Amino acid sequence: MYKMKKVEKIEQVNEIKDRLEFFVKKLDAVNPEQFALREIDELLALLDELEKKCEEILQ
């Protein structure tokens, strides 16, 4: 049972790392002169998702 939880946590951490990499790529691609409110909302939603995933792992 313990080993399964450890594997699950590793998978969750890897998922967070992938999503964070995706976030950074989106942020790098942003053109500040044409940054739309929708894009800000998408980035904030992604940060919220990452925060929730981190909280799940810490529990």
Side-chain angles (χ1 to χ4, degrees):
M1 183 79 176
Y2 171 75
K3 193 166 197 135
M4 185 61 162
K5 282 206 174 257
K6 187 174 182 179
V7 170
E8 288 175 8
K9 287 198 184 270
I10 290 171
E11 289 172 355
Q12 289 174 336
V13 168
N14 286 335
E15 181 182 345
I16 288 173
K17 288 167 56 178
D18 290 344
R19 297 297 287 165
L20 188 55
E21 184 178 336
F22 176 73
F23 174 82
V24 170
K25 284 180 182 178
K26 281 192 72 107
L27 197 55
D28 284 342
V30 166
N31 179 349
E33 294 175 7
Q34 298 176 345
F35 201 52
L37 191 55
R38 176 188 52 79
E39 292 173 301
I40 294 171
D41 287 341
E42 289 173 1
L43 290 172
L44 289 174
L46 186 52
L47 284 177
D48 286 341
E49 177 187 326
L50 287 167
E51 181 181 18
K52 288 176 186 174
K53 294 269 186 195
C54 288
E55 289 173 357
E56 287 174 13
I57 290 175
L58 293 175
Q59 291 179 356

